[in-house]
Amino acid sequence: MADFSAQSYRQPFPFLDIDPTMESLTQFAELNPQSFILDNSAFNFQTFFPLSINDSLLSNQASQGETMSGFIHNSNQSSVSAQPIFSAKTEVEEISNKRKALDILESSSGNSSSSSPQVSETGIKRRNNSGKGKRAKSNEKEMEKPKEVVHVRARRGQATDSHSLAERVRRGKINERLRCLQDIVPGCYKTMGMALMLDEIINYVQSLQNQVEFLSMKLTAASTYYDFNSESDAMERMQREKAEEAKELERLMREGYVGIGGVACFHSSSTYGPL
Amino acid sequence: MDSQHLNPSSLKSRFTARFLRALIKINAQKPISSSSPRDIFQRYRRIKVAADKSMAYSVRSRRTWSRATLWKLRSRSRRRLASSGRRLSIKTRTTTTTTTTTTSTNHRAAIVEKTSHEKENKEDHVGLAVQAEELRELVPGGESMDLCNLLDETAHYIKCLTTQVQVMKKIANLYSLE
């Protein structure tokens, strides 16, 4: 698995290093003016990025590290040229690293600045954070659960027209309902796909309907041999039935079973002794 | 010990009361000496219908499936009355036809409208169309619902079916022991 991924990374390299650099260049161009309001951040970029990059690179595949070190040496001149390194990592890592570095940058610059323009700085910082947060979030691929009917975020690389948004909301609703059904229907595992779960649900409903039919047949057989006399008898029966149910429920709960016919049968036979 | 466990307004107790009353009525109607297969079959049909009907009544048409069940049962009984005898049927028919024609037209219009809408939805989930169809056949009244509501109805229907099965099991045990 590691070999395969290493190969897949190695081959598209000559193409990747051009495009993501342009991408990340544009992103940085957008972000930099905002964060560069407080000065001497270029230096901070340089010092902070290689630190974070080295950590992540060490955790990545070793083959990438070799080629990356070459890139790092080339890119130590300017802050902007730190971008080719991002082509090797996955985009999520890149963006989280960027965010981390920018947060570090913000906090450091906030600490280093003097106390007099504190209010305006915090105001700028807040605006920066919100602006950066909005932009970073719109560029991120992190999972955003659609909240309610109205607030659905369009993820990156997905269509944003109203049809697909509504479709996504609908799919979310269906998944939620399927999860509820999963808890009700025994025999549904979380790892099963939608089709399998629907099959299970259909089987369960069919079996329940068959059970109802079978029980009604049993009742007809039982009632043909039984004699119903009067209304008072019926009322007694109803009350007795309710008491029976309560007792059986209790007993079943005590034993840890719910609604198993055999146990109920046994119990009711024992209670009819003194009667 | 604590027989106050039973909630008198729960689905289970409502269904139990109704079903027991229906059973008593059925047993009072037919003489017990009849043991021909046809009579037995008829009795079975009646008990089954009583079970479904009492369940649907306990839900009280708050749900689409219960409304559909009640509507089906009523239309079937009306058709049977109309075909067999005309003594009581005339009165019942005249009073109920006005209400039921409106409901039937509404129902059919709803079906037509919603099937056209749901055909678009079916194309989105091609892989699930088969199972959705099967589920629609199983759940009463499921023909005119999109998948989202269908799953809702299925959940409630399953819950009611389990209560029905539980209660009927206990009643059957009671009878089979006496």
Side-chain angles (χ1 to χ4, degrees), chain A residues 234-252 254 264 267-268 271-272 275, chain B residues 1-7 12-13 16 20 170-171 174:
Chain A
M235 288 312 289
E236 275 176 27
R237 177 176 321 288
M238 269 171 62
Q239 284 173 7
R240 201 172 25 169
E241 167 66 28
K242 289 208 171 118
E244 273 295 321
E245 266 191 50
K247 269 188 235 165
E248 281 171 15
L249 268 175
E250 225 188 85
R251 184 163 190 265
L252 290 172
R254 247 185 283 137
H267 178 71
S268 45
T271 53
Y272 279 116
L275 289 174
Chain B
M1 284 172 210
D2 28 12
S3 48
Q4 283 90 21
H5 254 313
L6 282 175
N7 180 13
K12 195 190 246 186
S13 45
T16 321
L20 282 173
K170 286 184 188 157
I171 296 178
L174 265 183

Side-chain angles (χ1 to χ4, degrees), chain A residues 79-90:
Chain A
S79 65
V80 178
S81 53
Q83 275 117 56
I85 296 160
F86 287 112
S87 62
K89 297 192 254 174
T90 56

Side-chain angles (χ1 to χ4, degrees), chain A residues 177 209 224 226 241 250 272, chain B residues 2 32 148 157 174 178:
Chain A
R177 299 234 162 94
Q209 285 176 341
T224 46
Y226 191 73
E241 167 66 28
E250 225 188 85
Y272 279 116
Chain B
D2 28 12
I32 304 153
C148 201
Y157 186 57
L174 265 183
E178 293 193 21

Side-chain angles (χ1 to χ4, degrees), chain B residues 56-69:
Chain B
Y57 262 113
S58 307
V59 178
R60 218 174 283 275
S61 77
R62 242 179 287 146
R63 287 273 166 176
T64 316
W65 68 265
S66 68
R67 288 195 292 262
T69 326

Side-chain angles (χ1 to χ4, degrees), chain A residues 181 198 201-206 208-209, chain B residues 63-69 72 107 131-161:
Chain A
L181 273 173
L198 276 179
I201 291 167
I202 287 170
N203 280 336
Y204 190 60
V205 170
Q206 271 173 344
L208 280 176
Q209 285 176 341
Chain B
R63 287 273 166 176
T64 316
W65 68 265
S66 68
R67 288 195 292 262
T69 326
K72 252 186 255 177
H107 197 73
Q131 283 121 338
E133 272 306 302
E134 280 191 43
L135 204 53
R136 283 205 182 87
E137 283 170 32
L138 282 177
V139 176
E143 297 88 12
S144 57
M145 282 192 281
D146 53 340
L147 192 59
C148 201
N149 292 328
L150 182 67
L151 292 177
D152 237 358
E153 295 287 323
T154 313
H156 193 259
Y157 186 57
I158 286 177
K159 172 182 151 200
C160 293
L161 273 181

Side-chain angles (χ1 to χ4, degrees), chain A residues 6-21 67-68 71 84 87-88:
Chain A
Q7 281 173 11
S8 65
Y9 265 101
R10 224 177 277 141
Q11 265 140 18
F13 248 33
F15 309 103
L16 266 186
D17 59 359
I18 300 173
D19 293 344
T21 50
T67 48
M68 282 307 93
F71 272 112
S87 62

